[in-house]
Amino acid sequence: MKTKSFLQCIAITGIFAVWVSQTRAEVKLPAVISSHMVLQQGMPVPIWGTAAPAEKVTVKFRGQTKTTQADAQGKWMVKLDPLPVGEPGTMTIAGANTLTLEDVLVGEVWVGSGQSNMYMGVDPFLKGDEVLAKMAAETYPKIRLIRCGRTSWQEATPQNIARFSALLFSFGVPLQKELDVPVGLMVGATGGTPSGGWLSEEMFKADAACTEAVAKLTTPSALEAAQKKYQEDLAQWEKASAEAKKAGQKEPRKPQPPATPGESKFKFGSFYERHIKPFIPFAIKGVVWDQGESGTGVVGIDQYTLMGALIRGWRKAWGQDFPFIHVQKPSGGGCAWDPQDIVTSQAEKFAPLPASVPLGKTIGHIENHLRLNQYPNTFMAIASDLGSGTHPTNKSGYGARACRVALGAVYGKPLEYYGPVYQSHKIEDGKIHITFTHVGKGLAFKNGDKLQGFAVAGEDKVFRWADAVIDGDTVVLSCAKVAKPVAIRYACAEGRPWANLFNKDGLPAIPFRTDSDEKR
């Protein structure tokens, strides 16, 4: 009996011990808060995690001590006061247990997101990118890396660099060298993803521009027009299908019924939840975004409108109005100021003007990305002179260009980060005088023996190539076949190796048009 009683006591003691351990849950941290991390300088720094409900948690770092209590769900957060750059330090986080994070730096933190061109690692591009290969062979004590869902913070050693985003790494190296402070690089990206999957459904529904766009597409007249077009397309398909069957050929693809405006082809927020939300609210300097080939994935919502909702939504979720740098789409398509420059060595070769002015479907695609700059604190990394393709191999060039934008637009360094940007024009005596911003050291053309790529149209809306000359900080256009010009276009085509306006800083002019004819 005594033996039985003894064993019962042991069992009860064990149960009590388990109960005690459950009620005194250990302090735990998300992967983004770990040894080797970089904290953002100059702003409040959130540190957060989980513990037992009501458990007291204390965070100590660089002479600061912040204490809080976990809420009913066991969540807790403190905010460190703004930190200056300094030597690596140790952070302790104590509750029922104590966690010690070593080698914590303070500097600049950037997030890279988007689809495959941000996701793809360094390794696949080493053979085709000499600059990237040289950079990737080094160790960078002041650069730290983290990829959402895969790792905690890592030091930038060749082994860790190989699996990291080629674009964001190529952005971070020159940034760290120029600023001479630690740089933290955070990647949340995945291939083949539309922008609609990168914001939550709440962000989409709360956005006034998206709501308005859906409303316009769901009016009775708009729905009737969509259904009418579907019936017309279906009738054409039935005719073409019958002819194909008769000729023993493959049938064309059957048109689909109109989809519901505002409906996402991917679950709203699916990529945001997995790849971005785990980083929030870690203090950051800004975001570098490379996406666009997959569009929005949301019926009736264009990239410009959707990205506005995404940018606003991310900033609200983070509680920061951070800079947002987006890579120009489509990638490449234009010639370079200096084809020998390693940054632009994969640009298209300069070509003569086509016989007629390219018109059509690509204009809207180009403009949707160019218009993103209209959003506050949003900037574009010019990519027309960096090399073409779905996956451009010149990742070091793309990273260097994005870094140039960050240095000039975000950090205020005295360097030009855009090519000439259309500002306004006036017509005098049949000639068009165009004024630009971002002329830098001055307007110039490179390649060929004349400035080209400009087209004008009269009231007939027929565009013809114009003669163009540089006059100080303006470009003057004339066209003998257009007596009364009413519209201008420059470089409005995906492939535009014939457009050769630059500033003397070596950056290509941004495509533009002054008309709004969607059909042309």
Side-chain angles (χ1 to χ4, degrees), residues 353-376:
L353 283 174
S356 59
V357 179
L359 303 170
K361 299 178 181 178
T362 62
I363 294 175
H365 183 46
I366 293 169
E367 285 185 319
N368 270 327
H369 293 278
L370 296 178
R371 291 170 66 204
L372 297 187
N373 281 7
Q374 296 176 12
Y375 295 124

Side-chain angles (χ1 to χ4, degrees), residues 108-188:
E108 296 296 294
V109 182
W110 283 82
V111 172
S113 188
Q115 56 186 111
S116 53
N117 279 309
M118 181 61 74
Y119 172 82
M120 295 177 76
V122 167
D123 256 0
F125 299 98
L126 293 177
K127 290 183 179 179
D129 190 330
E130 180 183 334
V131 174
L132 179 63
K134 186 175 180 179
M135 290 194 301
E138 302 290 331
T139 293
Y140 301 88
K142 291 187 177 182
I143 297 180
R144 305 298 166 81
L145 319 170
I146 184 170
R147 196 159 200 159
C148 190
R150 291 192 176 185
T151 60
S152 54
W153 285 92
Q154 297 180 321
E155 297 172 280
T157 63
Q159 182 180 4
N160 295 330
I161 289 166
R163 298 186 295 273
F164 195 72
S165 164
L167 196 160
L168 196 63
F169 170 69
S170 297
F171 166 85
V173 171
L175 187 74
Q176 193 282 317
K177 183 178 180 181
E178 182 66 28
L179 299 179
D180 194 25
V181 300
V183 168
L185 302 174
M186 311 166 76
V187 172

